[in-house]
């Protein structure tokens, strides 16, 4: 989603700002803009579309201090007017904002009463006007007062016309990281945009001031909690980050297994919460969790949990799954679970994320940076980390340790899905079906497929197909059948027959010969431990989506309208 990068340096900072924006592209955005100190004071340049369009507009400009933003539209359509940075009515400041201002209507009314009218459809513009109205000459105290008047979530970076070379920043419930690198101070909404820097995490509600030689927070020089960020991610010879990340799964799974503590298994009832693929990972693990605990377990969408009746927890543990650790719905679900008395455990890939700081206990996936918007290694490592919270008997532990080798084999086998692309290219709708653990995988397969191919797809519990969706099956409709559980062969064969009787084209992803031969096409997998199989069976579905999307010339790493981490509810 929206991204922020700001730099103040002793030498030209504009090209570093543009590189920072490019590093943020993976999060998803629809327009970009930059504000900077030019020869004649503050300047703004904006462009709809890719950062490269903004770069072209910037031409030969230079600056030593600027802030910039990639916007993913929430309030108001995608156009230059709504694109950040926003400028205050008298030009006292320019700012960029991530998050949502919940008392926006009220503040807009207050501004109107003061004779200030807004010219964009965004909630962010009002912050700039409010700053100028409340300005007492000191940007730090003014921004502090502005922040106190705001409700909702925000990460704000601001340039004051009278404070050349300085950037002011404040955050609440939205990430903002400060970095120091070679006589430059930087800030960004995502560490990916700050490679090779010493990082500082800005506390909620505190105002930071950055200049080329240093950073202070509310007047105190800032030099604690320094962490070195990683170097910039690269594709390592692959055409796309997504393909690279698919191939990295065996190592990512192995690293995650190696990180599972010897002790600390969850024994009681568990509630698994997440969004998108993280929810699917939770759902796919329910059979495993129930088998290990002998107790009821449930997976819920984080966004639904926060709207559900606030029944108090009864000794249950809420497990919050989030690759980024910044998904707004999951963070709200965490707060809500705590309120209802659940013990909270987070599974995230980012140790410094908001979720990691909010939960009672943490487990981390060791996927490494995931850049493609459509998650792959994020999902498979979540399955492993979740299993690590429950699996204790020797047989299951052995099965867990066999996953990296199985993943290695299946990544190679999945290359064969390239031969199946023709079945899908002109499909009106593609179906993914499975039961139990395979149901979660079917949902994930369908999500991956629609995310990057833009072909409608539906993930279904096999048993549900006949209760409505079967009306969509016609001659040639592709149906991907996932089956990794020997106890489900008979039922799966029945689903296959039902689909074939209506002209559907069935593609099996299975370790069972009976299912493979019953289907029109098959990807035969090695024998898998049924309850842990989601970490493996999803791989061919990722690869299939990838090949179909590539054949359709889609922007695989940055699919339209999608954001890597969705920081609004
Ligand atoms: C977005 C992404 C999905 C992801 C979901 C949850 O919608 O596009 O790929 O599964 O957010 O993200 P999280 O970081 O919480 O796992």
């Amino acid at each position: 989603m929206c991204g922020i990068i700001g730099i103040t340096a002793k030498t030209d900072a504009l090209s570093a700002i543009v590189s920072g924006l490019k590093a943020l592209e993976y999060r998803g955005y629809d327009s970009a803009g930059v504000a900077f100190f030019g020869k004649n004071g503050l300047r703004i340049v904006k462009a709809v579309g890719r950062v490269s369009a903004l770069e072209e507009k910037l031409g030969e400009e230079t600056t030593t201090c600027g802030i910039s933003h990639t916007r993913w539209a929430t309030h108001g359509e995608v156009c230059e007017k709504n694109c950040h940075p926003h400028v205050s009515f008298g030009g006292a400041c320019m700012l960029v904002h991530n998050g949502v201002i919940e008392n926006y209507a009220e503040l807009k009314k207050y501004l109107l009463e003061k004779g200030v009218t807004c010219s964009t459809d965004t909630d962010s513009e009002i912050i700039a006007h409010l700053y100028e109205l409340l300005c007492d000459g000191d940007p730090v105290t003014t921004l502090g007062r502005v922040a106190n008047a705001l409700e909702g979530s925000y990460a704000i970076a601001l340039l004051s016309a009278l404070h050349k070379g300085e950037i002011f920043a404040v955050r609440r419930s939205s990430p903002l990281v400060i970095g120091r690198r070679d006589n430059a101070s930087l800030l960004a909404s995502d560490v990916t945009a700050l490679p090779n820097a010493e990082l500082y995490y800005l506390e909620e509600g505190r105002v930071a001031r950055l200049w080329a030689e240093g950073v202070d927070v509310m007047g105190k020089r800032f030099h604690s909690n320094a962490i070195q960020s990683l170097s910039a991610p690269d594709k390592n010879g692959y055409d796309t980050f997504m393909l690279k990340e698919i191939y990295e799964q065996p190592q990512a799974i192995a690293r995650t297994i190696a990180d599972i503590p010897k002790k600390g298994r969850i024994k009681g009832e568990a509630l698994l919460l997440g969004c998108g693929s993280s929810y699917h990972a939770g759902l796919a693990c329910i059979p495993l969790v129930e088998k290990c605990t002998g107790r009821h377990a449930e997976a819920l969408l984080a966004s639904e949990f926060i709207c559900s009746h606030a029944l108090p927890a009864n000794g249950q543990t809420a497990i919050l799954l989030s690759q980024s650790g910044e998904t707004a719905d999951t963070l709200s679900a965490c707060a809500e679970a705590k309120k209802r008395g659940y013990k909270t455990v987070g599974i995230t890939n980012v140790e410094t994320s908001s979720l990691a700081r909010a939960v009672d206990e943490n487990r981390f996936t060791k996927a490494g940076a995931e850049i493609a918007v459509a998650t792959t290694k994020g999902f498979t490592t979540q399955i492993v980390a979740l299993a690590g919270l429950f699996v204790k008997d020797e047989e299951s532990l052995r099965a867990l340790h066999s996953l990296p080798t199985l993943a290695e084999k299946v990544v190679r086998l999945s290359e064969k899905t390239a031969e199946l692309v023709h079945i899908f290219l002109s499909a009106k709708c593609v179906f993914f079906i499975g039961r139990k653990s395979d149901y979660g995988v079917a949902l994930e397969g369908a999500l991956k497929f629609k995310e990057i191919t833009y072909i409608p797809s539906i993930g279904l519990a096999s048993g549900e197909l006949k209760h409505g969706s079967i009306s969509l099956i016609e001659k040639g409709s592709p149906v991907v059948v996932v089956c990794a559980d020997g106890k489900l062969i008979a039922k799966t064969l029945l689903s296959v027959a039902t689909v074939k009787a209506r002209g559907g084209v069935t593609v099996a992803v299975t370790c069972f010969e009976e299912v493979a031969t019953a289907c029109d096409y098959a990807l035969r997998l090695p024998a898998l431990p049924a309850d842990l199989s989601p970490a493996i069976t999803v791989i061919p579905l990722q690869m299939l989506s990838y090949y179909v999307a590539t054949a359709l010339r889609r922007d695989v790493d940055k699919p339209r309208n999608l954001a890597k981490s969705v920081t609004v509810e």
Side-chain angles (χ1 to χ4, degrees):
M1 256 185 165
C2 303
I4 291 176
I5 170 95
I7 304 182
T8 169
K10 285 197 166 161
T11 50
D12 180 46
L14 205 52
S15 51
I17 290 174
V18 172
S19 309
L21 283 175
K22 286 185 177 164
L24 291 172
E25 282 191 296
Y26 81 99
R27 297 171 61 93
Y29 71 105
D30 41 53
S31 50
V34 54
F36 57 94
F37 289 96
K39 281 187 210 97
N40 306 310
L42 279 180
R43 285 243 307 119
I44 285 191
V45 180
K46 302 180 182 188
V48 168
R50 293 286 181 224
V51 171
S52 49
L54 177 71
E55 196 175 11
E56 224 165 83
K57 276 191 163 179
L58 283 167
E60 301 296 300
E61 295 277 2
T62 57
T63 187
T64 55
C65 177
I67 53 172
S68 62
H69 191 261
T70 47
R71 175 175 187 251
W72 190 85
T74 52
H75 290 69
E77 60 169 324
V78 179
C79 59
E80 264 190 36
K81 178 187 77 176
N82 290 336
C83 175
H84 299 219
H86 295 292
V87 56
S88 62
F89 57 90
C93 76
M94 291 184 180
L95 62 77
V96 293
H97 162 235
N98 276 4
V100 174
I101 304 303
E102 283 165 9
N103 57 340
Y104 145 82
E106 198 182 303
L107 291 172
K108 196 166 176 176
K109 205 167 134 222
Y110 168 76
L111 288 172
L112 256 180
E113 282 162 15
K114 300 280 175 191
V116 181
T117 47
C118 290
S119 53
T120 76
D121 310 314
T122 67
D123 55 343
S124 310
E125 179 193 359
I126 56 140
I127 310 171
H129 298 321
L130 206 56
Y131 176 91
E132 182 154 346
L133 267 185
L134 301 182
C135 194
D136 61 10
D138 177 353
V140 173
T141 54
T142 308
L143 193 53
R145 279 162 52 232
V146 169
N148 285 338
L150 302 176
E151 282 168 24
S153 59
Y154 50 82
I156 300 166
L158 176 143
L159 299 180
S160 154
L162 298 177
H163 297 79
K164 197 171 173 193
E166 292 177 66
I167 302 175
F168 302 90
V170 67
R171 65 171 282 262
R172 191 176 296 280
S173 305
S174 192
L176 198 62
V177 188
I178 293 173
R180 284 280 310 152
R181 189 172 69 200
D182 326 320
N183 275 325
S185 298
L186 312 90
L187 56 77
S189 51
D190 183 328
V191 286
T192 322
L194 302 180
N196 309 315
E198 263 190 6
L199 302 180
Y200 307 86
Y201 290 90
L202 184 59
E203 280 171 49
E204 302 235 321
R206 320 240 322 153
V207 181
R209 180 172 73 98
L210 288 77
W211 68 102
E213 289 89 357
V215 177
D216 71 27
V217 177
M218 306 287 226
K220 280 208 186 104
R221 194 69 181 246
F222 202 25
H223 49 66
S224 58
N225 303 327
I227 304 171
Q228 189 72 29
S229 62
L230 302 170
S231 43
D234 79 72
K235 291 187 194 145
N236 241 343
Y238 287 92
D239 288 345
T240 60
F241 280 109
M242 184 176 176
L243 195 60
K244 170 179 168 255
E245 288 159 6
I246 289 175
Y247 278 97
E248 281 174 349
Q249 291 180 107
Q251 296 77 30
I253 290 173
R255 284 196 300 272
T256 307
I257 292 173
D259 204 53
I260 295 172
K262 294 250 167 334
K263 290 196 178 134
R265 301 293 184 263
I266 295 173
K267 295 189 186 83
E269 278 186 26
L271 173 65
L272 278 50
L273 299 167
C275 305
S277 301
S278 293
Y279 163 68
H280 297 158
L283 192 64
C285 284
I286 292 298
L288 171 80
V289 173
E290 291 191 331
K291 193 170 125 190
C292 293
T293 59
R295 309 284 291 271
H296 174 71
E298 199 178 1
L300 282 180
L301 289 162
S303 56
E304 284 297 302
F305 173 70
I306 50 188
C307 305
S308 63
H309 288 296
L311 297 176
N314 190 10
Q316 294 109 317
T317 304
I319 301 170
L320 295 119
L321 292 139
S322 174
Q323 187 274 129
S324 63
E326 301 296 348
T327 301
D329 287 325
T330 312
L331 289 172
S332 298
C334 177
E336 184 60 33
K338 284 186 146 182
K339 228 180 351 175
R340 295 185 196 178
Y342 286 84
K343 178 190 171 190
T344 55
V345 178
I347 295 185
T348 79
N349 194 43
V350 184
E351 299 191 13
T352 49
S353 63
S354 306
L355 185 63
R357 278 175 279 147
V359 288
D360 299 320
E361 200 184 306
N362 272 299
R363 290 294 172 92
F364 296 108
T365 50
K366 296 282 166 183
E370 193 179 63
I371 303 298
V373 166
T375 182
T376 51
K377 57 179 182 167
F379 177 88
T380 43
T381 53
Q382 279 174 340
I383 302 282
V384 171
L386 249 177
L389 276 171
F390 294 93
V391 161
K392 46 185 184 292
D393 66 283
E394 242 177 68
E395 194 194 328
S396 307
L397 281 169
R398 221 175 304 123
L400 188 63
H401 284 273
S402 71
L403 290 180
T405 314
L406 285 168
E408 190 76 58
K409 273 191 200 148
V410 173
V411 167
R412 297 285 159 210
L413 278 173
S414 300
E415 289 166 356
K416 287 198 192 140
T417 57
E419 296 160 19
L420 304 175
V421 165
H422 65 278
I423 306 169
F424 298 88
L425 287 180
S426 52
K428 275 195 256 166
C429 183
V430 176
F431 301 82
F432 292 80
I433 63 171
R435 284 174 191 259
K436 260 178 103 182
S437 302
D438 300 329
Y439 168 43
V441 175
L443 290 186
E444 177 59 9
L447 181 69
K448 214 76 333 187
F449 196 84
K450 73 181 87 159
E451 273 183 317
I452 61 169
T453 67
Y454 311 154
I455 297 174
S457 55
I458 304 178
L460 280 169
S462 309
E464 275 296 295
L465 184 63
K466 55 187 179 289
H467 295 298
S469 302
I470 199 161
S471 68
L472 298 174
I473 305 263
E474 51 188 34
K475 198 168 180 315
S477 299
V479 181
V480 179
V481 182
V482 186
C483 181
D485 187 335
K487 294 196 191 102
L488 299 174
I489 295 176
K491 284 191 166 27
T492 305
L493 292 178
L494 189 59
S495 304
V496 170
T498 314
V499 169
K500 285 178 88 172
R502 279 142 190 98
V505 177
T506 48
V507 179
V509 172
T510 185
C511 18
F512 305 110
E513 196 48 39
E514 301 96 303
V515 178
T517 41
C519 286
D520 301 296
Y521 299 88
L523 190 79
R524 288 172 170 80
L525 304 179
L528 299 174
D531 296 328
L532 290 166
S533 63
I536 306 297
T537 45
V538 75
I539 297 172
L541 308 188
Q542 299 166 343
M543 203 78 117
L544 173 70
S545 302
Y546 177 81
Y547 285 131
V548 176
T550 317
L552 292 168
R553 299 185 174 279
R554 305 297 191 227
D555 188 347
V556 172
D557 282 343
K558 295 189 280 269
R560 71 182 178 207
N561 301 337
L562 294 184
K564 181 76 183 157
S565 100
V566 179
T567 47
V568 294
E569 274 188 14

